[in-house]
Amino acid sequence: MEFRGAVLDVDGTVLRGNERIPGATSGLDALRRAGVDRVFFSNNPTKAPPAYAERFARAGVDVGPDEVLTSGTATTAYLEAEHANDSLFVVGETGLTDQFEDAGLTVTADPTAADAVVVSIDRGFHYDDLVAAMVALEDESVPFLSTDPDMTIPAVDRDLPGSGAMTHAVAGVVGRSPDATLGKPSAHARRLALDRLGHDAERCLVVGDRLDTDIALGASAGMTTVLVKTGIADDRALAESAVEPDYVLDSFADIERVVGDR
């Protein structure tokens, strides 16, 4: 059986900052030669697909907006289906709230008016945001949603706090976990990726640098999983993980070893 589709992580797998990770072009070329369709899926909720396409272009990689999914697009799709008429109180950046508003969703700055609360990465996160989230979630019937579980994100010089850090802070003060987390590795994210590829899970592979999101997503869906060691996961994390990838590669440049196996 030949692979027909691939879900590719972005940061730590193909890009770091605005630069290509060495060998990324070779990896993408190998997928193209093998006839494998691709979708890029990032747990960064702050950039919409067109902005990601521009970021790829700056790094010298030709990617169309229709090839990109993010935890922001996943969360937006979920809200359109489940909370289309609700007022949303958001702990997050304007890059996320703009996506909600572009989809016709209602964002409120008043925590007492919240019908649902969305928590995400916010590099301006402040004590007052934590207070406001507590107010918005005082009524336990108000849904508590998170864009993605990433505790850290890879940056150019070091890893930095991600959406999971803000989500855990809010969860700690309100005394409950999110009712739904929408990015990788959720079932919602898996469905979006497979629908976009249009191939059965067993004909697809997932390539990423995180065991708890990328590899967990693929394993739960029955996809072939490929961990690359250019981002978050290292040998220690691999040894301690309950999730075991099918392949471990030094970098995405070696993906031909996988697509050439079948």
Side-chain angles (χ1 to χ4, degrees):
M1 181 181 68
E2 295 179 346
F3 289 112
R4 300 304 305 274
V7 182
L8 306 176
D9 178 50
V10 180
D11 295 288
T13 301
V14 179
L15 302 179
R16 182 172 285 276
N18 289 321
E19 301 293 329
R20 277 173 293 168
I21 289 175
T25 300
S26 297
L28 293 171
D29 287 345
L31 291 184
R32 178 182 50 77
R33 288 193 301 270
V36 177
D37 296 326
R38 66 191 191 184
V39 63
F40 296 87
F41 202 138
S42 170
N43 261 5
N44 180 348
T46 65
K47 291 182 173 62
Y52 255 101
E54 293 173 4
R55 182 182 170 204
F56 274 115
R58 290 194 296 272
V61 182
D62 185 16
V63 174
D66 60 336
E67 295 182 283
V68 179
L69 292 170
T70 72
S71 59
T73 59
T75 302
T76 301
Y78 179 88
L79 292 170
E80 288 179 296
E82 302 293 335
H83 298 281
N85 299 314
D86 288 347
S87 292
L88 309 170
F89 181 78
V90 181
V91 176
E93 300 184 0
T94 56
L96 179 64
T97 56
D98 285 349
Q99 293 175 65
F100 294 166
E101 291 174 339
D102 287 346
L105 298 166
T106 300
V107 176
T108 180
D110 179 2
T112 66
D115 297 313
V117 174
V118 181
V119 180
S120 184
I121 187 172
D122 185 352
R123 282 160 286 197
F125 189 65
H126 190 275
Y127 184 85
D128 290 344
D129 297 313
L130 203 54
V131 173
M134 287 182 67
V135 171
L137 291 166
E138 280 180 342
D139 182 345
E140 293 189 0
S141 69
V142 174
F144 172 19
L145 310 172
S146 175
T147 57
D148 62 272
D150 290 12
M151 290 295 293
T152 60
I153 55 174
V156 174
D157 297 322
R158 62 180 59 84
D159 296 338
L160 297 173
S163 299
M166 287 80 202
T167 301
H168 276 242
V170 173
V173 297
V174 302
R176 63 180 170 115
S177 299
D179 298 297
T181 301
L182 287 316
K184 298 179 292 186
S186 70
H188 175 68
R190 295 196 305 270
R191 287 192 297 270
L192 286 178
L194 288 170
D195 287 349
R196 183 66 60 89
L197 286 170
H199 300 301
D200 293 335
E202 61 267 21
R203 306 289 298 274
C204 296
L205 62 151
V206 175
V207 185
D209 69 307
R210 301 187 75 112
L211 290 154
D212 58 344
T213 56
D214 304 312
I215 304 307
L217 179 145
S220 63
M223 304 181 203
T224 296
T225 56
V226 184
L227 180 74
V228 293
K229 296 164 66 177
T230 50
I232 294 292
D234 55 18
D235 289 335
R236 179 177 176 180
L238 184 59
E240 295 175 351
S241 175
V243 181
E244 185 174 350
D246 296 309
Y247 294 86
V248 179
L249 305 179
D250 286 336
S251 76
F252 182 40
D254 300 323
I255 195 64
E256 193 161 19
R257 285 173 43 197
V258 178
V259 296
D261 274 1
R262 302 198 178 190

